Amino acid sequence: GQTTSMAQTDHLHPIYLPAGGVGIYMEFNYMGNVPINIAVQGAATAANGNQATAITSCGGVYPSTTWNKAYINLTEQVSTLQSGLYYIYITSLYDGLATGNNYALIDNIKVVVAR
C-alpha cells in the first residue's frame, strides 16, 4: 500500500504569478526520508474558460537526512498553463521500504519572482 501526503495553498485564495517566461522559483528548506514533489495548478479563471488546469509537476527533491535548501523552477509550467492565479501543491509518497517512519519536513517556503 502506497499513500500520498499533500499540502496545498488555500483553495479560496490562489496565488498570482506572472506568465510570459518571467522567472518564478520556489525556495524552501527540507529534510526527510521520502521524496518531496512540487506541482502547480491554474485556478479557474475567465482566461482559461472558468476551468482549473491540470495539476502539473515542477520537480522535487530526493530524501536527505540533513537540512538542505531546494530551488524549484516553476517558470515553464506557469508560462504554459497561462492562468494568472495558481495553487501550489507539496506532495510526498509513503514508502514502505523507507527506514523508520516516513517523514518529510519543510521550512521557510518562499515563492520568488524575477522582475
Side-chain angles (χ1 to χ4, degrees), residues 5 8 13 15 17 19 22 24 28 32 34 44 46 52 56-57 63 67 69 71 74-75 78 90 99 112:
S5 295
Q8 78 172 75
H13 300 96
I15 299 170
L17 297 172
V22 173
I24 303 169
F28 57 93
V34 291
T56 305
S57 177
W67 283 100
K69 185 170 287 287
Y71 300 92
L74 309 179
T75 307
V78 167
I90 302 170
T99 303
V112 180

Side-chain angles (χ1 to χ4, degrees), residues 26-29 88 90 106-111:
M26 185 172 176
E27 174 186 327
F28 57 93
N29 299 328
I88 297 177
I90 302 170
I106 301 173
D107 190 26
N108 201 24
I109 300 169
K110 299 174 191 155
V111 176

Side-chain angles (χ1 to χ4, degrees), residues 43-108:
T45 64
N48 58 16
N50 292 318
Q51 296 291 319
T53 67
I55 297 173
T56 305
S57 177
C58 299
V61 295
Y62 291 106
S64 173
T65 57
T66 60
W67 283 100
N68 290 289
K69 185 170 287 287
Y71 300 92
I72 306 293
N73 189 341
L74 309 179
T75 307
E76 181 180 341
Q77 289 79 4
V78 167
S79 293
T80 300
L81 296 175
Q82 293 288 317
S83 178
L85 297 172
Y86 298 88
Y87 305 109
I88 297 177
Y89 295 84
I90 302 170
T91 61
S92 194
L93 186 64
Y94 171 81
D95 182 358
L97 300 176
T99 303
N101 294 328
N102 286 200
Y103 68 98
L105 306 174
I106 301 173
D107 190 26
N108 201 24

